[in-house]
Structure formats: C-alpha cells, structure tokens
Amino acid sequence: MPMKSSNVVWHTATITRDHREKQSGHRSVILWFTGLSGAGKSTLAHAVEEHLFQRHCRTFTIDGDNVRHGLCADLGFSSDDRVENIRRVGELAKLFTEAGVLVLTAFISPFQADRDRVRALVPDGEFIEVYCQASLDICEGRDVKGLYKKARSGEIAHFTGISSPYEPPTSPELTVNTGEATIEACVAQVIQYLEAQGII
C-alpha cells in the first residue's frame, strides 16, 4: 500500500523495545487466534489473557467485533474490506509488540494471505498463529450471535463458512480443539507453548 505522503521520516526512540521487554519481564509477541465464527476465538483469547495477567504479564486483547466500533468502523465485509481490516489490525498489533506487550488478537481472518502478511510484519517467532479448530456444524450449532441463522436466510452476505470461504491455517504454531476440548485445556495448551518457547 503506497504512502500518501513522501514527507514522513521515521523517528528512532531512545527507549527501545528491548528496554520495555526487560521492564515487562517477558517477550512481546502476537498471539493470532483464527477460526470460524463461534469457534471460541474471543473466549480463548480473553481466558489466556486473564491467566497471563495473573502472572503479571503486560497484555492486551484486540477483538474483531470491538475494532469495528472504532478503528475499522468505516469497513464492511467485502473481500477488499476484510483485507484492509486485517492490515490495520496487523499494524496495530505490531505497535503493541514494540511497546513490550503480549498482544492477543481474535479475528476470523479467513484468508491465509492476510494472516501471512501480518506474520511478515514481525521477526520470525513473534507471530504465533493459533488455529481455533471447530467444525462448521459445531460453530453453527452454537450460533452464539445468531449470525449463522441470518446467513442461512440470506440476511447476511459474505458470511464466512456459508457464503464466503475460510482458509484454515496451513502450518499454525498451535492447533487448539476449541470445538470439543474444555476452555481450561485450551488455555493450558497455549500457556505451555509460551513457556516452552521462553516467551513467558
């Protein structure tokens, strides 16, 4: 995406990311939770954040619905708007890592190319793709927001899993069975990964 101004110069801060990570006592990474609507992305992300907070980690969760009330309020759900939505969130998440924060994001983010674009924003090992695996039948059975019913009746166009595709991650760092496992087991799996990687 071309810059709208050529009169922009990067300012190098005196307080670096390394300083902030040392103050936080942990590394800063992006935990990117992806999956169908109703797969449990937000539930898991917030549960993981609660666990990390109890361990005195600096965290922030960026939720797909919430950003559409502000940062991405001007976007719809066309393919182009979905791409821009994820681009903005990726840049925001990168800023949080620079602040020394463990940032968790909960987005359907249906296209692999968009997730890969966010991955490319940060160094290797700092984008952790967490595939919240739950079948369409399970997600539609939950239908916690009543969206599948509306999509089936034609009230919602471009709905992921019904009238718009979802591309499952090809090689996620973590696959969590949010369709069948308990929330406690899912949280434990994510925390064990973070510990094993020396992030926390």
Side-chain angles (χ1 to χ4, degrees), residues 54-137:
Q54 294 298 324
R55 292 176 62 154
H56 307 289
C57 296
R58 294 183 64 211
T59 63
F60 192 80
T61 296
I62 307 172
D63 185 86
D65 283 346
N66 291 356
V67 297
R68 285 184 175 274
H69 284 87
L71 178 67
C72 299
D74 59 323
L75 300 177
F77 290 91
S78 67
S79 292
D80 286 347
D81 281 355
R82 285 174 185 262
V83 169
E84 175 60 12
N85 184 57
I86 297 305
R87 187 196 71 78
R88 292 182 193 180
V89 171
E91 293 288 352
L92 178 61
K94 180 184 177 182
L95 289 174
F96 271 102
T97 65
E98 291 297 323
V101 173
L102 279 160
V103 57
L104 305 89
T105 73
F107 289 81
I108 294 174
S109 47
F111 305 125
Q112 183 71 50
D114 294 340
R115 299 191 300 266
D116 287 345
R117 200 170 292 117
V118 177
R119 182 187 291 275
L121 291 174
V122 295
D124 287 346
E126 295 181 9
F127 179 87
I128 300 165
E129 193 172 31
V130 183
Y131 177 31
C132 296
Q133 188 177 51
S135 69
L136 178 61
D137 285 345

Side-chain angles (χ1 to χ4, degrees), residues 11-23:
H11 181 79
T12 302
T14 54
I15 301 300
T16 67
R17 174 179 174 175
D18 185 57
H19 291 129
R20 298 183 186 106
E21 286 186 333
K22 285 178 179 175
Q23 187 178 62

